[in-house]
Amino acid sequence: MSETLFRRLLIAAAVFFSVFFAVVVVPPLIANPDIWGAFAAGFVNPYSSGYSTDVLVCWFVLAVWVVYEAKAYSIRHGWVCLLVGIVPGVAVGFALYLLLRSKQLKKTSKNA
């Protein structure tokens, strides 16, 4: 896969999820701005609880990865991706991190 295609697919995934999130989540949140209630609604049944737990654990895995690579490879600004991983979601934060990481590693390898 070419690097350009890789970047385009990551951006497309992040944009798709951001638009989906905005269309599905933002209107009810505007109507009832209860953040904790919205979070708890992700755990209303066993199926949604499973998906919600998966998302939370994926964010934690991303956080561990970001912290590790900050120390091991000097990848900077990963914390921004963790914030974006909270809202709108891990899909966007992860895609952003991969783009950021790819750019920084490419720059590092050119300097070596």
Side-chain angles (χ1 to χ4, degrees), residues 47-58:
Y47 304 109
S48 64
S49 295
Y51 286 117
S52 296
T53 302
D54 178 58
V55 169
L56 295 174
V57 173
C58 284

Side-chain angles (χ1 to χ4, degrees), residues 1-8 102-103 106:
M1 176 184 303
S2 74
E3 186 174 338
T4 303
L5 179 59
F6 170 73
R7 288 177 185 270
R8 287 181 181 170
S102 171
K103 185 176 181 180
K106 187 176 178 182

Side-chain angles (χ1 to χ4, degrees), residues 27-110:
L29 197 56
I30 290 171
N32 182 12
D34 178 13
I35 301 291
W36 288 114
F39 176 77
F43 296 90
V44 295
N45 63 53
Y47 304 109
S48 64
S49 295
Y51 286 117
S52 296
T53 302
D54 178 58
V55 169
L56 295 174
V57 173
C58 284
W59 184 90
F60 178 76
V61 169
L62 177 62
V64 169
W65 188 6
V66 165
V67 170
Y68 169 77
E69 289 199 336
K71 303 279 186 205
Y73 303 110
S74 299
I75 304 295
R76 297 180 322 268
H77 310 300
W79 63 271
V80 173
C81 304
L82 295 177
L83 292 178
V84 172
I86 296 170
V87 174
V90 178
V92 180
F94 182 49
L96 177 63
Y97 183 73
L98 289 176
L99 290 169
L100 182 121
R101 177 185 189 273
S102 171
K103 185 176 181 180
Q104 290 184 31
L105 288 178
K106 187 176 178 182
K107 182 188 271 188
T108 303
S109 67
K110 282 185 179 180

